[in-house]
């Protein structure tokens, strides 16, 4: 099933979702709104003002950030659903960023062998990436997204008005993910966004957001369970997830660092124009503070990368680029190349 994606066109996206939930398909549904403290404080008024159908919904709150993505939190949410009489007609509305949509989708995937859920992303990362694609997961043993399901939402509601509630760092994380998306699929927009970052004047247009959504939706439709093409969306993530876990850097910024690592390896292994790496290296300090890793640090990061779920047959695999817009999946990199890359990153 391909989810319905709602954009603000003639009507606000939330108003369109309200009409959808008043339809016959949801006549017997009981709604549960999953949120964290940030979205409870900042986003509920907008949601309810445009979606009166949800006025009688029950709230379920999770911790802010990656702490929400655990088996323990999932267990608590399953218990809350049971206590509230949730059945297979129930619907979870995930109101929040990527962590909320991940844990909410995971809980929906397993409860009574799968109930419906709808993603209402409130962060830029959520709107252009995390809320799309049906990947649901929790972290395990200190590693990202190790346990999960593919379970598509009924709908994804993209309402840019929620971006007004975000702090600057969260917007920057979304810009990093946006740049990644354009790097794999739209060289023209990659150049435009890169220039805006360089000049310190990023315009988060609805056009940028919609293009990112369409790129990811198109890839997911062709490869819903990440057997091949969908792997291109992991550009920067093999290094990025390990850096995120080790250095406690927000996901989007860790991906930005991971992209530099992928570009660096792409120059050496696939002949990517070195100017692409140099230009990106000049942008990077505008997105994330430089990191400084010594040999001991690289060994710990390497150990985390060995556990990456995208690896196969004992090989660490990366997405690299032949050029902007031409990604190559499943490129094996050896451990000395990883050490060299991380030490080179530390010299920026």
């Amino acid at each position: 099933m391909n989810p319905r994606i709602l954009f603000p066109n003639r009507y606000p996206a939330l108003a369109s979702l309200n009409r959808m939930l008043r339809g016959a398909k949801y006549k017997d549904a009981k709604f549960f709104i999953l949120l964290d403290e940030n979205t409870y404080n900042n986003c509920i008024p907008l949601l309810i003002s445009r979606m009166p159908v949800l006025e009688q919904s029950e709230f379920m709150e999770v911790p802010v950030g990656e702490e929400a993505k655990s088996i323990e939190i999932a267990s608590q949410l399953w218990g809350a659903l049971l206590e509230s009489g949730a059945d297979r007609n129930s619907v979870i509305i995930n109101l929040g960023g990527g962590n909320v949509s991940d844990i909410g989708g995971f809980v929906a995937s397993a409860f009574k062998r799968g109930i419906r859920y709808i993603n209402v992303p409130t962060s830029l990362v959520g709107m252009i990436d995390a809320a799309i694609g049906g990947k649901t997961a929790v972290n395990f043993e200190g590693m990202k997204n190790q346990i999960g399901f593919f379970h598509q939402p009924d709908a994804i509601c993209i309402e840019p008005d929620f971006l007004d509630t975000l702090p600057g760092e969260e917007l920057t994380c979304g810009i990093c993910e946006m740049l990644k998306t354009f790097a794999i699929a739209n060289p023209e927009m990659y150049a435009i966004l890169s220039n805006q970052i360089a000049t310190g004047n990023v315009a988060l247009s609805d056009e940028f957001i919609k293009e990112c959504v369409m790129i990811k939706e198109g890839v997911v439709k062709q490869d819903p369970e990440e057997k091949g093409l969908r792997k291109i969306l992991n550009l920067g993530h093999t290094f990025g997830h390990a850096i995120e876990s080790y250095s406690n850097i927000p996901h989007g910024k860790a991906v930005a660092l991971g992209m530099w690592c992928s570009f660096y390896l792409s120059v050496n292994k696939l002949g990517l124009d070195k100017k692409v790496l140099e230009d990106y290296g000049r942008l990077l300090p505008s997105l994330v503070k430089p990191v400084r890793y010594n040999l001991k640090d690289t060994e710990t990061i390497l150990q985390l990368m060995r556990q990456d779920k995208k690896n196969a047959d004992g090989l660490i695999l990366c997405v690299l680029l032949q050029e902007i817009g031409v990604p190559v999946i499943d490129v094996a990199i050896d451990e000395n190349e990883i050490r060299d890359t991380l030490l080179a990153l530390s010299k920026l």
Side-chain angles (χ1 to χ4, degrees):
M1 180 193 75
N2 293 317
R4 185 176 177 185
I5 299 184
L6 303 170
F7 287 103
N9 293 315
R10 291 170 52 196
Y11 303 99
L14 290 173
S16 297
L17 181 59
N18 188 70
R19 288 197 300 274
M20 175 180 155
L21 296 186
R22 287 196 182 281
K25 183 178 177 182
Y26 298 93
K27 180 171 67 73
D28 298 320
K30 184 172 185 176
F31 297 110
F32 294 83
I33 300 175
L34 184 69
L35 37 63
D36 62 20
E37 183 181 359
N38 290 337
T39 49
Y40 181 83
N41 291 332
N42 298 309
C43 301
I44 280 293
L46 177 61
L47 182 79
I48 300 302
S49 68
R50 294 187 185 171
M51 295 194 65
V53 70
L54 296 179
E55 285 178 349
Q56 302 304 314
S57 301
E58 293 194 31
F59 291 173
M60 300 190 298
E61 188 170 333
V62 296
V64 173
E66 289 288 328
E67 186 182 344
K69 292 173 54 175
S70 73
I71 291 290
E72 292 75 20
I73 295 296
S75 181
Q76 292 171 22
L77 294 172
W78 289 320
L81 289 168
L82 285 172
E83 187 175 339
S84 297
D87 58 24
R88 296 198 71 184
N89 287 320
S90 297
V91 180
I92 298 176
I93 310 293
N94 295 322
L95 180 68
N99 294 316
V100 170
S101 61
D102 269 3
I103 184 64
F106 180 84
V107 166
S109 300
F111 188 74
K112 296 187 182 292
R113 295 193 178 96
I115 62 172
R116 294 174 291 180
Y117 73 101
I118 291 167
N119 286 334
V120 183
T122 60
S123 70
L124 185 56
V125 172
M127 290 178 190
I128 67 173
D129 184 43
I132 306 162
K135 276 186 177 180
T136 74
V138 294
N139 304 331
F140 188 68
E141 300 290 339
M143 289 174 284
K144 290 272 291 182
N145 301 334
Q146 293 295 303
I147 301 174
F149 309 94
F150 288 99
H151 183 55
Q152 291 287 354
D154 266 24
I156 302 155
C157 181
I158 309 296
E159 183 51 79
D161 286 352
F162 282 123
L163 297 180
D164 293 339
T165 69
L166 288 183
E169 181 175 71
E170 284 295 325
L171 286 173
T172 300
C173 285
I175 291 166
C176 295
E177 285 280 0
M178 188 175 280
L179 198 60
K180 176 219 74 176
T181 302
F182 294 152
I184 60 174
N186 193 320
E188 180 181 355
M189 285 196 168
Y190 177 84
I192 293 169
L193 182 56
S194 294
N195 183 62
Q196 290 183 358
I197 295 168
T199 58
N201 187 28
V202 177
L204 291 176
S205 67
D206 288 357
E207 179 188 8
F208 272 4
I209 294 171
K210 191 168 186 177
E211 176 65 11
C212 285
V213 172
M214 292 298 97
I215 288 170
K216 182 160 187 183
E217 183 194 26
V219 169
V220 169
K221 280 182 178 179
Q222 295 179 69
D223 181 20
E225 294 190 358
E226 202 172 281
K227 305 296 186 183
L229 176 66
R230 186 169 176 171
K231 295 178 183 180
I232 67 174
L233 298 168
N234 292 319
L235 178 69
H237 282 62
T238 300
F239 280 90
H241 277 163
I243 290 170
E244 179 182 359
S245 296
Y246 180 69
S247 300
N248 197 28
I249 293 172
H251 175 74
K253 294 187 175 188
V255 167
L257 294 168
M259 282 176 61
W260 186 91
C261 296
S262 293
F263 288 3
Y264 180 83
L265 286 164
S266 297
V267 170
N268 296 330
K269 296 177 77 71
L270 298 183
L272 177 70
D273 187 343
K274 193 172 183 179
K275 187 176 185 300
V276 174
L277 174 66
E278 292 170 346
D279 289 346
Y280 184 72
R282 283 190 284 271
L283 290 182
L284 199 55
S286 300
L287 299 171
V288 57
K289 291 180 180 178
V291 291
R292 296 288 180 263
Y293 296 133
N294 56 35
L295 283 172
K296 183 179 178 181
D297 297 324
T298 65
E299 293 307 308
T300 305
I301 295 171
L302 178 56
Q303 180 60 33
L304 291 167
M305 292 177 68
R306 291 189 188 109
Q307 304 302 318
D308 192 282
K309 63 186 182 297
K310 298 180 290 298
N311 296 339
D313 299 323
L315 299 173
I316 296 176
L317 304 177
C318 266
V319 181
L320 303 184
L321 293 180
Q322 287 184 331
E323 58 187 80
I324 297 297
V326 185
V328 179
I329 64 171
D330 293 340
V331 180
I333 51 174
D334 67 41
E335 296 188 354
N336 284 332
E337 288 176 320
I338 292 170
R339 294 181 181 100
D340 172 64
T341 302
L342 290 169
L343 291 174
L345 175 65
S346 300
K347 295 175 182 177
L348 287 180

